[in-house]
Amino acid sequence: MTENEHDDRILDRLVALTRDLILIPSIPSRPEDRRRCYEFVRNHLEAIENVEVFEYEHHGIPSLVAMPVNVREPEVLMCGHLDVITHPDVYSYRSYIEDGKIYGPGAGDMKGALAIMLEILRDFHTKHPGVSLGLAVTADEETGGKAGIGYLFGNTNLRCGAALIPDGGSLNEITIEEKGILHIKIRCQGRAAHAARPWLGDNPIEKLMDRLSNLQKYFSSFKRDEDHWFPTCSITIIGTENQTINRVPSNCEAICDIRFPSPFTIQEIMDKTREVLGADVEIEVVISAEPTHLSPDPLYQQVTEEITGEPAALVREHGGSDARFIYAGGVPIMMSRPIVGNLHAENEWINIQSMIKYYRIYEKYLTIKLLKKSKS
Ligand SMILES: [Zn+2]
């Protein structure tokens, strides 16, 4: 078989597997489907010889770790998530191929990459029994990762020498740093009244609008250059349970999504946010994560450049990922991914040719790291 034929054969498997995964709407609002997608992945892994599968569940969310038999801390752990974000129309969880891309929800984030990791695991353990390579698959990355990678590393004591996470960067962009995250719920209390006599009440919506505008002013003061590597704050949800037009409600709330780079800390951002919003406003932290440094292995960058024939840039990521839970353990994390686009939209896509390149990057990196070393 020529190398091209070999590539085609792997690609056929990767494309089929990716499309099978896209077909299952593995979203939080459909736990049975999420479970079905999990079972699909588990069945795939159980068919691999020399690999043991450990299953977990936390808050009803399943996750698994596939390890070489008798190994508890692999030298390299690949990490993937099978959950995708929710689209209103459940029938949008379909895929099609056009212009060399697979289109469909989760194609780029990250069912295509998950397919690659499943195939890499199968290939390595079939050819090299006992190779120190594991795979963790979780189902809650899009909703915070706490019950998935957070649980595996925080509660089950999962450890590894290094981690591969195809959930940021691009084929020739390796992520070295991620912003921290603060999702906060802001509540304002007031006093209900008939809207024809507003002086008898205390309108919490007006107070909330006023405080949110102060918060926006504060965060816009960080604005400097076009790279946006400074703290930002987005108001993403705002509302009251009031259903009555002529009534001043007694309370209302908003949710803000704050992102901040190092050296800012959660403490610093929270202190300032509290000060700006004022003491009479309730703040509840929904999700918090410190900024993350990934410290990727230089060999990974070198291999990426060799396989793609192009320079690989080290980049900073505005979004956060599961990496933050692993970084808490201080291990090097390699984060890049195939070429993807329209992430979190219904017409999300993954470039098919970049999938085979990505597969080859993993193959070469893992061969040097896990196989050549032991022979020398
Ligand atoms: Zn993702």
Side-chain angles (χ1 to χ4, degrees), residues 81 83 108-110 141-142 166-168 320-322 337 343-344:
H81 66 85
D83 58 310
D109 183 14
M110 62 179 315
E141 195 277 340
E142 300 293 1
D167 210 9
S321 74
D322 272 347
R337 65 177 157 206
L343 294 186
H344 293 188

Side-chain angles (χ1 to χ4, degrees), residues 68-130:
V69 175
N70 294 329
V71 170
R72 285 297 160 272
E73 186 176 328
E75 266 188 66
V76 178
L77 180 72
M78 300 182 285
C79 301
H81 66 85
L82 58 81
D83 58 310
V84 294
I85 67 134
T86 302
H87 295 293
D89 179 8
V90 77
Y91 295 104
S92 65
Y93 295 89
R94 298 247 185 296
S95 68
Y96 59 94
I97 294 178
E98 202 176 284
D99 304 327
K101 296 169 183 158
I102 306 171
Y103 284 87
D109 183 14
M110 62 179 315
K111 288 179 165 171
L114 179 58
I116 293 170
M117 293 191 291
L118 289 168
E119 284 301 295
I120 282 281
L121 195 83
R122 198 181 55 81
D123 186 62
F124 268 70
H125 283 283
T126 308
K127 290 184 187 150
H128 317 283

